[in-house]
Amino acid sequence: MKLEMRDQPGQLVAALQPISAVGGNIIAVIHQRETLAATETLDVQIVLELPEEGSLPKLLELLREQGVSVVRIGEQRLLYECTLITIGHLMHTDLSDTVDRIDTTGSAEVTDLSLAMPAINSPSSARITIRSTTREEMKKAIRILRGVAEQKDLLIIEPLEGV
Amino acid sequence: MRIVILGFGSVGRGIARAILAKNLDLTVTGLADSRSGLIDPAGIDLLAALDRKGNGDLCGNPDVSPADVVAKADYDVLVEVTPTNVDDGEPALGYIRAALGRSKHVVTSNKGPIALAYPELRDLAAANGVFLKYEATVCGAIPLIHAMQEGLAGNTISRLYGVFNGTCNYILTRMAEDSLTYEQALAEARELGYAEADPTYDVEGIDAAIKLVILANAILDMRTTLDDVERTGITLLTPEALRLAEDQDCTIRLIGEIVPEAGVLRVSPRIVAKAHPLVVEGTLNAVTVETDLAGDLTFIGKGAGSTETASAVIGDLLYIRERHVQGS
Ligand SMILES: NC(=O)c1ccc[n+]([C@@H]2O[C@H](COP(=O)([O-])OP(=O)(O)OC[C@H]3O[C@@H](n4cnc5c(N)ncnc54)[C@H](OP(=O)(O)O)[C@@H]3O)[C@@H](O)[C@H]2O)c1
């Protein structure tokens, strides 16, 4: 996110403090004094990781209290990734519907799919990579996938290390 | 110390051979197979008994039943190594009850009685002031139970997971290595004697599930039964699935997992990074235990085999001798 704050000592620390208060993790801080800007403000860009989606509004509120204004919130990246393998009659049971059921959650999506189809009528295998913004969303996506698998009689192979 | 060996198959004979080969100071005063028994307070000639069995004969006298040996022989420890029955634990359960009731220690490699009746047997052993030991029931030669009860005493175990079935591990190793189908790999395992004629018990994850129940009840203070284990076997796995895992430097293994706090017991094929210590080859077993004080520990070793399983039984016997039995 891009922040704007007064160019005074201690301001940067004041801006960073709320991030740890909500359990966030600062990945990078980039700040530069714009020579053009005659204002007495400092532009800072912060790349950070938040524990859950709900912590963003809380962070914004805390920043506002510190007198820091948030100029722009950049893209929220899908940080959590999980790869599973599924075996069964994937085409007969509408693989794209299986993928849709995860994508329609809005917060998790299938970002990669590799399909291996052997002879006709024998079960095919697919590797599915799911990404999500939070761990909770990932757990939810996997729950959905398990449900679909049960319904469609597919075998789901989950990773050992969970999400 | 005087012992009775009940069951003279792969494990029973492995124990006899180890006793003959090494100076373990164990005297076998009773021996039985399914149809005969032998009692000799002075010590049975094990070499002769092995020869008889090797020639396809009975190990003892057909007029002496296994139950007679348990009830009448003079011994300190019953070594119960008869076949596993996971429906009612019999006949092993009856033998073990009878021996404990006579205030005899019991060492067993038999999963049935421990998975089905551990609390009852533990209380019976305690009431009679004797030990009940069962190291060989889980992961053959790996001293996992001893490590958890003794070495890791004081630790809280947050998760335990691993490869508990050598047959499945062999099949999956072969499917990954040479792109064999499940059926081809199973046929190969049978030929090598790694799989039974009816492999259901192994490939459907039942064997691994029973081991989880034993660990959960006996070591982790849980109260579970086989029905509590969420279980998926390996029969539906395809070479393509293994290749898809392989493309990402991973493989697939049948993993048994216990998460005590969440009450989770499950056996299922899982994707595991090839560099993970649990990815062992062939019929090996491997178990990782996550603890609060000791951190993570991984145990790797042979999960079955005549001599290897005998090793676990003998470890239990010598443990009992150290702590309890005076004289021999
Ligand atoms: N083999 C392994 O690597 C391994 C590893 C871990 C645990 N275990 C467990 O250890 C136990 C023994 O395994 P194993 O491989 O040695 O089995 P096994 O080779 O089948 O031998 C079983 C022995 O028990 C005898 N027996 C059968 N019914 C009996 C009865 N009612 N009373 C007395 N004896 C009886 C059999 O008699 P006959 O000789 O007359 O048939 C045979 O001698 C099983 O519970 C198994 O699950 C085995």
mmCIF file of all heavy atoms in Angstrom, chain B residues 152-180:
data_model
loop_
_atom_site.group_PDB
_atom_site.id
_atom_site.type_symbol
_atom_site.label_atom_id
_atom_site.label_comp_id
_atom_site.label_asym_id
_atom_site.label_seq_id
_atom_site.Cartn_x
_atom_site.Cartn_y
_atom_site.Cartn_z
ATOM 1 N N LEU B 152 10.795 -39.867 25.425
ATOM 2 C CA LEU B 152 10.084 -38.603 25.231
ATOM 3 C C LEU B 152 9.097 -38.326 26.364
ATOM 4 O O LEU B 152 8.252 -37.437 26.245
ATOM 5 C CB LEU B 152 9.360 -38.598 23.877
ATOM 6 C CG LEU B 152 10.283 -38.688 22.654
ATOM 7 C CD1 LEU B 152 9.475 -38.862 21.376
ATOM 8 C CD2 LEU B 152 11.149 -37.439 22.560
ATOM 9 N N ALA B 153 9.230 -39.065 27.465
ATOM 10 C CA ALA B 153 8.341 -38.824 28.605
ATOM 11 C C ALA B 153 8.470 -37.347 28.980
ATOM 12 O O ALA B 153 9.554 -36.795 28.968
ATOM 13 C CB ALA B 153 8.756 -39.714 29.771
ATOM 14 N N GLY B 154 7.371 -36.689 29.263
ATOM 15 C CA GLY B 154 7.433 -35.272 29.608
ATOM 16 C C GLY B 154 7.175 -34.369 28.428
ATOM 17 O O GLY B 154 6.904 -33.185 28.592
ATOM 18 N N ASN B 155 7.258 -34.907 27.240
ATOM 19 C CA ASN B 155 6.910 -34.119 26.052
ATOM 20 C C ASN B 155 5.413 -34.202 25.797
ATOM 21 O O ASN B 155 4.776 -35.200 26.134
ATOM 22 C CB ASN B 155 7.610 -34.680 24.810
ATOM 23 C CG ASN B 155 9.056 -34.241 24.695
ATOM 24 O OD1 ASN B 155 9.350 -33.236 24.075
ATOM 25 N ND2 ASN B 155 9.958 -34.985 25.315
ATOM 26 N N THR B 156 4.882 -33.157 25.200
ATOM 27 C CA THR B 156 3.509 -33.239 24.703
ATOM 28 C C THR B 156 3.605 -33.459 23.199
ATOM 29 O O THR B 156 4.331 -32.738 22.510
ATOM 30 C CB THR B 156 2.738 -31.934 24.997
ATOM 31 O OG1 THR B 156 2.723 -31.757 26.409
ATOM 32 C CG2 THR B 156 1.306 -32.019 24.482
ATOM 33 N N ILE B 157 2.901 -34.455 22.719
ATOM 34 C CA ILE B 157 2.959 -34.773 21.292
ATOM 35 C C ILE B 157 1.803 -34.087 20.577
ATOM 36 O O ILE B 157 0.638 -34.330 20.877
ATOM 37 C CB ILE B 157 2.962 -36.294 21.101
ATOM 38 C CG1 ILE B 157 4.326 -36.821 21.602
ATOM 39 C CG2 ILE B 157 2.761 -36.665 19.627
ATOM 40 C CD1 ILE B 157 4.389 -38.255 21.906
ATOM 41 N N SER B 158 2.159 -33.191 19.670
ATOM 42 C CA SER B 158 1.100 -32.425 19.007
ATOM 43 C C SER B 158 0.646 -33.102 17.714
ATOM 44 O O SER B 158 -0.474 -32.899 17.268
ATOM 45 C CB SER B 158 1.577 -31.007 18.712
ATOM 46 O OG SER B 158 2.815 -31.043 18.053
ATOM 47 N N ARG B 159 1.524 -33.903 17.134
ATOM 48 C CA ARG B 159 1.153 -34.561 15.893
ATOM 49 C C ARG B 159 2.122 -35.717 15.672
ATOM 50 O O ARG B 159 3.297 -35.632 16.050
ATOM 51 C CB ARG B 159 1.259 -33.549 14.752
ATOM 52 C CG ARG B 159 0.729 -34.008 13.406
ATOM 53 C CD ARG B 159 0.662 -32.832 12.435
ATOM 54 N NE ARG B 159 0.393 -33.277 11.098
ATOM 55 C CZ ARG B 159 1.085 -32.902 10.012
ATOM 56 N NH1 ARG B 159 2.083 -32.045 10.119
ATOM 57 N NH2 ARG B 159 0.774 -33.359 8.823
ATOM 58 N N LEU B 160 1.588 -36.762 15.064
ATOM 59 C CA LEU B 160 2.415 -37.930 14.770
ATOM 60 C C LEU B 160 1.957 -38.427 13.410
ATOM 61 O O LEU B 160 0.756 -38.555 13.175
ATOM 62 C CB LEU B 160 2.156 -38.958 15.869
ATOM 63 C CG LEU B 160 2.844 -40.318 15.831
ATOM 64 C CD1 LEU B 160 2.885 -40.860 17.251
ATOM 65 C CD2 LEU B 160 2.119 -41.292 14.947
ATOM 66 N N TYR B 161 2.883 -38.653 12.502
ATOM 67 C CA TYR B 161 2.467 -39.097 11.182
ATOM 68 C C TYR B 161 3.583 -39.875 10.517
ATOM 69 O O TYR B 161 4.758 -39.659 10.819
ATOM 70 C CB TYR B 161 2.057 -37.907 10.308
ATOM 71 C CG TYR B 161 3.055 -36.779 10.275
ATOM 72 C CD1 TYR B 161 3.960 -36.645 9.232
ATOM 73 C CD2 TYR B 161 3.096 -35.854 11.312
ATOM 74 C CE1 TYR B 161 4.874 -35.617 9.214
ATOM 75 C CE2 TYR B 161 4.023 -34.815 11.303
ATOM 76 C CZ TYR B 161 4.906 -34.703 10.252
ATOM 77 O OH TYR B 161 5.827 -33.695 10.254
ATOM 78 N N GLY B 162 3.195 -40.776 9.634
ATOM 79 C CA GLY B 162 4.252 -41.527 8.984
ATOM 80 C C GLY B 162 3.754 -42.668 8.130
ATOM 81 O O GLY B 162 2.560 -42.838 7.884
ATOM 82 N N VAL B 163 4.726 -43.426 7.687
ATOM 83 C CA VAL B 163 4.505 -44.587 6.819
ATOM 84 C C VAL B 163 4.471 -45.809 7.724
ATOM 85 O O VAL B 163 5.492 -46.202 8.269
ATOM 86 C CB VAL B 163 5.665 -44.689 5.805
ATOM 87 C CG1 VAL B 163 5.586 -45.981 5.010
ATOM 88 C CG2 VAL B 163 5.676 -43.475 4.888
ATOM 89 N N PHE B 164 3.289 -46.381 7.915
ATOM 90 C CA PHE B 164 3.114 -47.471 8.862
ATOM 91 C C PHE B 164 2.958 -48.822 8.189
ATOM 92 O O PHE B 164 2.831 -49.826 8.863
ATOM 93 C CB PHE B 164 1.868 -47.225 9.733
ATOM 94 C CG PHE B 164 2.038 -46.102 10.710
ATOM 95 C CD1 PHE B 164 1.695 -44.808 10.367
ATOM 96 C CD2 PHE B 164 2.561 -46.346 11.972
ATOM 97 C CE1 PHE B 164 1.864 -43.767 11.273
ATOM 98 C CE2 PHE B 164 2.725 -45.322 12.882
ATOM 99 C CZ PHE B 164 2.373 -44.028 12.522
ATOM 100 N N ASN B 165 2.883 -48.832 6.862
ATOM 101 C CA ASN B 165 2.663 -50.101 6.178
ATOM 102 C C ASN B 165 3.667 -50.295 5.049
ATOM 103 O O ASN B 165 3.652 -49.575 4.050
ATOM 104 C CB ASN B 165 1.222 -50.162 5.643
ATOM 105 C CG ASN B 165 0.919 -51.515 5.044
ATOM 106 O OD1 ASN B 165 1.196 -51.775 3.883
ATOM 107 N ND2 ASN B 165 0.390 -52.410 5.857
ATOM 108 N N GLY B 166 4.533 -51.287 5.231
ATOM 109 C CA GLY B 166 5.600 -51.536 4.277
ATOM 110 C C GLY B 166 5.100 -52.021 2.927
ATOM 111 O O GLY B 166 5.694 -51.712 1.890
ATOM 112 N N THR B 167 4.002 -52.779 2.929
ATOM 113 C CA THR B 167 3.453 -53.289 1.667
ATOM 114 C C THR B 167 3.035 -52.134 0.773
ATOM 115 O O THR B 167 3.384 -52.076 -0.410
ATOM 116 C CB THR B 167 2.248 -54.205 1.954
ATOM 117 O OG1 THR B 167 2.641 -55.188 2.904
ATOM 118 C CG2 THR B 167 1.756 -54.882 0.693
ATOM 119 N N CYS B 168 2.268 -51.205 1.333
ATOM 120 C CA CYS B 168 1.818 -50.047 0.544
ATOM 121 C C CYS B 168 3.013 -49.212 0.100
ATOM 122 O O CYS B 168 3.049 -48.708 -1.024
ATOM 123 C CB CYS B 168 0.880 -49.163 1.365
ATOM 124 S SG CYS B 168 -0.704 -49.952 1.667
ATOM 125 N N ASN B 169 3.978 -49.064 1.006
ATOM 126 C CA ASN B 169 5.127 -48.244 0.638
ATOM 127 C C ASN B 169 5.897 -48.863 -0.517
ATOM 128 O O ASN B 169 6.371 -48.163 -1.407
ATOM 129 C CB ASN B 169 6.047 -48.036 1.843
ATOM 130 C CG ASN B 169 6.857 -46.775 1.707
ATOM 131 O OD1 ASN B 169 6.307 -45.681 1.704
ATOM 132 N ND2 ASN B 169 8.166 -46.912 1.516
ATOM 133 N N TYR B 170 5.975 -50.199 -0.504
ATOM 134 C CA TYR B 170 6.649 -50.879 -1.601
ATOM 135 C C TYR B 170 5.896 -50.639 -2.908
ATOM 136 O O TYR B 170 6.482 -50.278 -3.930
ATOM 137 C CB TYR B 170 6.768 -52.394 -1.328
ATOM 138 C CG TYR B 170 7.469 -53.096 -2.455
ATOM 139 C CD1 TYR B 170 8.864 -53.092 -2.528
ATOM 140 C CD2 TYR B 170 6.749 -53.700 -3.482
ATOM 141 C CE1 TYR B 170 9.521 -53.682 -3.591
ATOM 142 C CE2 TYR B 170 7.397 -54.296 -4.550
ATOM 143 C CZ TYR B 170 8.782 -54.284 -4.601
ATOM 144 O OH TYR B 170 9.426 -54.848 -5.653
ATOM 145 N N ILE B 171 4.590 -50.826 -2.877
ATOM 146 C CA ILE B 171 3.784 -50.658 -4.087
ATOM 147 C C ILE B 171 3.922 -49.230 -4.635
ATOM 148 O O ILE B 171 4.149 -49.027 -5.838
ATOM 149 C CB ILE B 171 2.295 -50.993 -3.793
ATOM 150 C CG1 ILE B 171 2.162 -52.494 -3.499
ATOM 151 C CG2 ILE B 171 1.389 -50.572 -4.952
ATOM 152 C CD1 ILE B 171 0.783 -52.929 -3.026
ATOM 153 N N LEU B 172 3.837 -48.244 -3.759
ATOM 154 C CA LEU B 172 3.927 -46.850 -4.218
ATOM 155 C C LEU B 172 5.328 -46.510 -4.730
ATOM 156 O O LEU B 172 5.478 -45.779 -5.704
ATOM 157 C CB LEU B 172 3.524 -45.898 -3.089
ATOM 158 C CG LEU B 172 2.058 -46.020 -2.653
ATOM 159 C CD1 LEU B 172 1.774 -45.139 -1.444
ATOM 160 C CD2 LEU B 172 1.126 -45.650 -3.810
ATOM 161 N N THR B 173 6.338 -47.077 -4.075
ATOM 162 C CA THR B 173 7.710 -46.853 -4.541
ATOM 163 C C THR B 173 7.863 -47.373 -5.968
ATOM 164 O O THR B 173 8.407 -46.703 -6.841
ATOM 165 C CB THR B 173 8.730 -47.603 -3.640
ATOM 166 O OG1 THR B 173 8.544 -47.201 -2.298
ATOM 167 C CG2 THR B 173 10.152 -47.299 -4.045
ATOM 168 N N ARG B 174 7.330 -48.576 -6.203
ATOM 169 C CA ARG B 174 7.465 -49.189 -7.521
ATOM 170 C C ARG B 174 6.640 -48.462 -8.579
ATOM 171 O O ARG B 174 7.059 -48.318 -9.722
ATOM 172 C CB ARG B 174 7.062 -50.674 -7.448
ATOM 173 C CG ARG B 174 8.007 -51.510 -6.603
ATOM 174 C CD ARG B 174 9.392 -51.615 -7.228
ATOM 175 N NE ARG B 174 9.356 -52.331 -8.486
ATOM 176 C CZ ARG B 174 9.941 -51.908 -9.612
ATOM 177 N NH1 ARG B 174 10.615 -50.773 -9.626
ATOM 178 N NH2 ARG B 174 9.842 -52.616 -10.711
ATOM 179 N N MET B 175 5.457 -47.991 -8.190
ATOM 180 C CA MET B 175 4.639 -47.241 -9.153
ATOM 181 C C MET B 175 5.353 -45.952 -9.567
ATOM 182 O O MET B 175 5.308 -45.553 -10.736
ATOM 183 C CB MET B 175 3.265 -46.897 -8.543
ATOM 184 C CG MET B 175 2.326 -48.086 -8.456
ATOM 185 S SD MET B 175 0.756 -47.690 -7.628
ATOM 186 C CE MET B 175 -0.057 -46.708 -8.913
ATOM 187 N N ALA B 176 6.029 -45.312 -8.606
ATOM 188 C CA ALA B 176 6.719 -44.059 -8.907
ATOM 189 C C ALA B 176 7.978 -44.313 -9.733
ATOM 190 O O ALA B 176 8.236 -43.626 -10.719
ATOM 191 C CB ALA B 176 7.072 -43.325 -7.610
ATOM 192 N N GLU B 177 8.738 -45.334 -9.352
ATOM 193 C CA GLU B 177 10.017 -45.618 -10.022
ATOM 194 C C GLU B 177 9.849 -46.009 -11.482
ATOM 195 O O GLU B 177 10.531 -45.498 -12.357
ATOM 196 C CB GLU B 177 10.696 -46.808 -9.330
ATOM 197 C CG GLU B 177 11.616 -46.465 -8.206
ATOM 198 C CD GLU B 177 12.084 -47.738 -7.494
ATOM 199 O OE1 GLU B 177 11.734 -48.872 -7.927
ATOM 200 O OE2 GLU B 177 12.788 -47.582 -6.510
ATOM 201 N N ASP B 178 8.964 -46.964 -11.708
ATOM 202 C CA ASP B 178 8.893 -47.557 -13.048
ATOM 203 C C ASP B 178 7.539 -47.394 -13.717
ATOM 204 O O ASP B 178 7.206 -48.149 -14.623
ATOM 205 C CB ASP B 178 9.258 -49.052 -12.974
ATOM 206 C CG ASP B 178 10.766 -49.238 -12.876
ATOM 207 O OD1 ASP B 178 11.490 -48.312 -13.298
ATOM 208 O OD2 ASP B 178 11.199 -50.284 -12.377
ATOM 209 N N SER B 179 6.751 -46.417 -13.230
ATOM 210 C CA SER B 179 5.423 -46.167 -13.797
ATOM 211 C C SER B 179 4.566 -47.422 -13.893
ATOM 212 O O SER B 179 3.820 -47.597 -14.853
ATOM 213 C CB SER B 179 5.527 -45.538 -15.191
ATOM 214 O OG SER B 179 6.286 -44.380 -15.137
ATOM 215 N N LEU B 180 4.708 -48.307 -12.921
ATOM 216 C CA LEU B 180 3.864 -49.501 -12.916
ATOM 217 C C LEU B 180 2.445 -49.099 -12.538
ATOM 218 O O LEU B 180 2.237 -48.102 -11.853
ATOM 219 C CB LEU B 180 4.367 -50.519 -11.880
ATOM 220 C CG LEU B 180 5.782 -51.063 -12.020
ATOM 221 C CD1 LEU B 180 6.034 -52.147 -10.972
ATOM 222 C CD2 LEU B 180 5.991 -51.639 -13.415
#
